[in-house]
Amino acid sequence: MSSYGRYHSQSYAPSAPSLPGSGYGQVSSSSGYTSFPPGTHPDVIRSFQAVDRDRSGFIDEKELQQALSSGFQKFDLRTIRLLMFLFKNPNEPLRIGPQEFAALWSCLGHWRAIFERYDKDRSGKIDPLELRDALYGIGYAVPASVLQLLISKYGDGSGRRVELGFDSFVECGMILKGLTDKFKEKDTRYTGSATLSYDTFMSMVIPFLVSYD
Ligand SMILES: [Ca+2]
């Protein structure tokens, strides 16, 4: 996904710099792991290999869930489905390969850094105000009414204030970013307005709704 490209270079942790030329990107011929981007951190490759038990060079949603849950923290399967949708290879809609996995991992690292930066009270969760600030901080001025709607999905029905764990935070962030990017494609001069046909509008929005169950 080229629209997520700007996240790729910021990688996932200062302690884990990319290692260009270290050879990890060209891991082995026979195992099928030929296509990690050069400089992919060995931990990322290891995570992929650990869950790709049949050595097919691809992983499905359950395996992705397992890989991300060990690298970051537990991911809801719903979030995994959204990530699969956003990072899928057009030829392989139900599984992802090394390239997509590396891009996804790097993107998640970026979200992790945002999560930690804006979790001001260090609660390990993002509350609605922290979410608003985080989104604003990365350039998305989302109307309060929209945020409220989005967050309401994560409530437990008790009426208590909703707080988001990392996976839900990623989910919210990626939906807003994904839809905003789609809109920007039609608003090339960044005026905040765009004219689109009904068909275009529906084909922009529906994939998010479908993947997001
Ligand atoms: Ca917090």
Side-chain angles (χ1 to χ4, degrees), residues 7-182:
Y7 289 140
H8 295 174
S9 61
Q10 304 199 16
S11 196
Y12 61 97
S15 58
S18 64
L19 301 166
S22 64
Y24 287 111
Q26 297 95 43
V27 176
S28 136
S29 43
S30 57
S31 63
Y33 297 108
T34 51
S35 49
F36 277 99
T40 300
H41 195 278
D43 287 352
V44 178
I45 298 175
R46 268 196 290 274
S47 300
F48 187 92
Q49 290 174 330
V51 296
D52 179 24
R53 286 195 204 85
D54 66 358
R55 291 281 181 264
S56 63
F58 289 95
I59 56 175
D60 64 19
E61 63 183 26
K62 288 276 186 197
E63 292 168 331
L64 179 62
Q65 182 181 37
Q66 212 184 335
L68 295 182
S69 297
S70 63
F72 292 89
Q73 63 184 60
K74 179 112 181 69
F75 271 72
D76 193 287
L77 203 52
R78 187 182 59 207
T79 314
I80 294 293
R81 293 200 175 115
L82 179 73
L83 295 174
M84 297 274 293
F85 159 68
L86 292 171
F87 282 85
K88 69 174 181 266
N89 174 328
N91 303 320
E92 290 282 350
L94 296 176
R95 37 184 217 163
I96 65 170
Q99 295 277 348
E100 297 79 43
F101 185 76
L104 170 54
W105 192 285
S106 166
C107 177
L108 285 177
H110 182 78
W111 284 110
R112 185 77 223 174
I114 296 169
F115 184 91
E116 282 167 11
R117 193 183 321 144
Y118 287 94
D119 177 20
K120 291 275 160 59
D121 61 359
R122 314 305 291 165
S123 65
K125 300 262 187 183
I126 290 286
D127 67 31
L129 284 179
E130 290 169 337
L131 180 65
R132 186 202 61 191
D133 291 349
L135 292 168
Y136 193 78
I138 57 171
Y140 300 102
V142 183
S145 56
V146 172
L147 267 190
Q148 210 160 23
L149 258 178
L150 194 61
I151 291 176
S152 68
K153 186 174 175 81
Y154 303 95
D156 58 6
S158 68
R160 274 200 302 264
R161 194 171 69 140
V162 179
E163 294 198 294
L164 307 179
F166 180 57
D167 62 345
S168 306
F169 172 72
V170 164
E171 211 172 271
C172 283
M174 286 204 172
I175 287 169
L176 289 171
K177 174 170 166 42
L179 283 170
T180 303
D181 288 347
K182 286 281 165 205

